[in-house]
Amino acid sequence: MTLIEQYLAAVTAQLPGEKREDIVAELRDAMMERIEAREAELGRAMTEAETESLLREFGHPLTVAARYRGGPDHLIGPELFPYWWFAVKTALLVLGIVVTVGAVLSFVLGQASLIDALAGIWYGFLDGGLMIVGVAAVAGFVIERQPNRPRFMTDWKVRDLELFRHWSLNGDGPSRAMSAEAARETAMSKVARRNRSRAAEALWCVAIWAVFLLWWGGGFRLGGLDPQTLLASAAALLPGVSRDGAMAGLVQPLYWPVIAYGLVRIGLELARAASPHMAVPVALGDLVMAGASAAILAWVWTRSVLAPVAVIDSPEQLIERTADLFRGHFSLNHILVLILIFNALEIVGRVLGALRRLATARA
Amino acid sequence: MGETDLYEAMRLELRRGSLVLAVLARLRVEQYGYSLRVALAQDGLEMEESTLYPLLRRLESQGLLVSEWREEEKRRKRFYRLSSDGEAVLVRLHAEWRRISDSLERIL
């Protein structure tokens, strides 16, 4: 095969299917004319080196073939890029925080040596970070090729820009933002604070839940431990609970429910962020989520391996034990009970909040 | 960027839109790839083959050009020519070009 034919074969291979032969025939023709013209100038045949340099002038087969392809010639275009970059930065930051906190926890619980914990931070961040960038690249690729621009690019409101005011993510940015924010918070009235954009909070929620789900589902590890072992170890601190018992009777049954809950929550928060004015469906979603939380909590309290540990015999006993705590008698059992009670109250609060939103939306 | 690099980048930007107009204008008369390229070069508008040929295909798929294979001097060549849509677009683009040029001349 001559040099030219080799080149053209490479181009053909990269061309989109339909008009391949036709396009290559035209290119071959163009090349032959060029060569003939050059040979006429030189008065002799071209050497191989000269031919090769001519082909190089023409262009690399990948580049040449790419020009015949329709559609965007980039992964993520200039319009979408700023949003993409911001989302990735934020997710990586949240990941960094989660990984560090988890490593500290596993060190404190005695599950990992200091070296392991530190290594865990590094590897956890690397693993999770690569996965975040990969998922983001795919998402960006898909969004870039949609016919319509996504709503967050066209229908945004100034109120929703709260998140971007704080998040400069430069070196001095966060600390400056935090001190300025602290000063402003004390000056701001309660009403103004409540008006802080729901969309920004919802997006934060999505970021945190996404990282948590990634961790829970095994996308990356903290301190070399998987989340299930970590949780079981924490539960095993309670008297009467073994680690294996906790694994089988608490952590493993919760595995899929947590994932399902998290995914639905993310979907709900995305819906809330995309259209903060759809009060009714979102409030209904909140009710359903609160119901699911309540179901999980009820199961943990009464049927999981923690059930016998979290028993309350009577209201008097509850009050006594709480008073004991304040007197300095440290009881993990009781702390667990208090945690469960607070969770239940929080769920009730969520239900009431959702009901209020439903009522005011209809009115 | 060095100053020459910056200038080169901006020069490319400036040329990009004009080249399509030049190609359309030249194809009021039938040409094939090579002859078109030579004609443009003589007009002072160098264009690489690897840019020109895909451009011709794209303009054809957009309905602005029509083409056919013909044998000439013992070789098969693909000849391009403006379609009726292409002629209409050329007229409008020319008017737009004159508008831009006049505005710029006033400013510069």
Side-chain angles (χ1 to χ4, degrees), chain A residues 231-315:
Chain A
L231 188 59
S233 308
L237 291 174
L238 291 162
V241 179
S242 72
R243 207 169 86 173
D244 291 329
M247 198 60 136
L250 176 68
V251 177
Q252 269 162 1
L254 280 181
Y255 183 78
W256 285 112
V258 167
I259 290 188
Y261 182 88
L263 286 175
V264 175
R265 185 68 186 272
I266 287 182
L268 197 68
E269 295 296 334
L270 282 175
R272 198 200 302 271
S275 31
H277 307 296
M278 264 177 25
V280 171
V282 168
L284 284 175
D286 279 339
L287 272 181
V288 171
M289 291 266 89
S293 299
I296 295 181
L297 182 69
W299 178 83
V300 167
W301 206 332
T302 57
R303 286 232 199 289
S304 79
V305 80
L306 293 180
V309 180
V311 155
I312 318 172
D313 291 323
S314 64

Side-chain angles (χ1 to χ4, degrees), chain B residues 5 9 12 15 27 33 43 46 55 74 78 91 93 104:
Chain B
D5 291 329
L12 261 156
R15 275 169 45 103
L27 288 174
D43 292 330
E46 302 276 340
L55 176 61
K74 284 192 227 155
R78 196 181 174 103
V91 166
L93 279 178
L104 277 177

Side-chain angles (χ1 to χ4, degrees), chain A:
Chain A
M1 240 200 199
T2 69
L3 221 54
I4 311 261
E5 287 304 325
Q6 281 176 23
Y7 177 85
L8 287 175
V11 176
T12 316
Q14 300 299 323
L15 284 173
E18 314 118 21
K19 298 213 172 142
R20 256 185 201 169
E21 294 307 323
D22 205 68
I23 293 175
V24 168
E26 192 176 15
L27 288 177
R28 186 181 291 117
D29 178 64
M31 224 160 268
M32 290 332 251
E33 292 242 29
R34 264 258 240 166
I35 292 181
E36 278 170 15
R38 187 70 75 85
E39 287 181 342
E41 267 176 46
L42 293 170
R44 56 164 174 88
M46 282 174 69
T47 67
E48 257 206 22
E50 287 169 338
T51 314
E52 187 145 42
S53 113
L54 188 94
L55 288 174
R56 222 174 281 131
E57 264 179 54
F58 203 81
H60 194 282
L62 279 179
T63 327
V64 173
R67 297 211 182 99
Y68 281 98
R69 232 189 309 261
D73 56 357
H74 41 245
L75 191 66
I76 292 165
E79 267 199 272
L80 185 61
F81 185 71
Y83 301 86
W84 185 88
W85 182 231
F86 183 84
V88 170
K89 275 197 293 186
T90 309
L92 287 178
L93 181 77
V94 171
L95 174 72
I97 295 175
V98 168
V99 166
T100 312
V101 166
V104 166
L105 268 180
S106 60
F107 175 63
V108 158
L109 286 176
Q111 294 303 328
S113 71
L114 184 62
I115 306 244
D116 281 339
L118 286 176
I121 295 183
W122 171 247
Y123 288 114
F125 190 70
L126 202 62
D127 266 348
L130 285 176
M131 189 167 302
I132 284 178
V133 172
V135 169
V138 171
F141 180 84
V142 169
I143 294 179
E144 180 69 38
R145 282 144 187 82
Q146 298 305 305
N148 298 314
R149 289 218 216 87
R151 300 246 335 247
F152 60 77
M153 275 168 76
T154 54
D155 296 340
W156 51 269
K157 300 199 166 31
V158 176
R159 242 187 26 197
D160 295 341
L161 298 179
E162 179 91 8
L163 178 68
F164 305 98
R165 270 170 43 207
H166 297 327
W167 243 194
S168 56
L169 286 178
N170 305 325
D172 56 325
S175 54
R176 200 177 355 110
M178 272 191 273
S179 56
E181 179 64 9
R184 241 179 302 132
E185 282 272 2
T186 52
M188 248 202 285
S189 71
K190 272 200 186 139
V191 176
R193 240 175 289 172
R194 221 183 302 138
N195 280 341
R196 176 175 313 187
S197 166
R198 290 237 166 77
E201 285 180 358
L203 282 176
W204 255 122
C205 213
V206 169
I208 292 176
W209 266 103
V211 173
F212 173 74
L213 274 188
L214 209 58
W215 175 61
W216 182 259
F220 60 90
R221 294 189 163 202
L222 307 179
L225 280 176
D226 61 285
Q228 285 73 32
T229 312
L230 201 61
L231 188 59
S233 308
L237 291 174
L238 291 162
V241 179
S242 72
R243 207 169 86 173
D244 291 329
M247 198 60 136
L250 176 68
V251 177
Q252 269 162 1
L254 280 181
Y255 183 78
W256 285 112
V258 167
I259 290 188
Y261 182 88
L263 286 175
V264 175
R265 185 68 186 272
I266 287 182
L268 197 68
E269 295 296 334
L270 282 175
R272 198 200 302 271
S275 31
H277 307 296
M278 264 177 25
V280 171
V282 168
L284 284 175
D286 279 339
L287 272 181
V288 171
M289 291 266 89
S293 299
I296 295 181
L297 182 69
W299 178 83
V300 167
W301 206 332
T302 57
R303 286 232 199 289
S304 79
V305 80
L306 293 180
V309 180
V311 155
I312 318 172
D313 291 323
S314 64
E316 290 85 14
Q317 191 200 46
L318 183 66
I319 298 176
E320 256 257 6
R321 290 228 189 125
T322 315
D324 264 347
L325 258 181
F326 283 111
R327 274 184 233 127
H329 295 281
F330 188 74
S331 161
L332 274 178
N333 296 42
H334 197 62
I335 292 186
L336 173 68
V337 170
L338 287 178
I339 291 178
L340 292 172
I341 292 182
F342 278 128
N343 265 298
L345 289 175
E346 192 253 339
I347 292 178
V348 170
R350 270 197 277 163
V351 170
L352 290 177
L355 287 174
R356 181 182 55 85
R357 257 174 285 144
L358 275 176
T360 53
R362 289 235 192 86

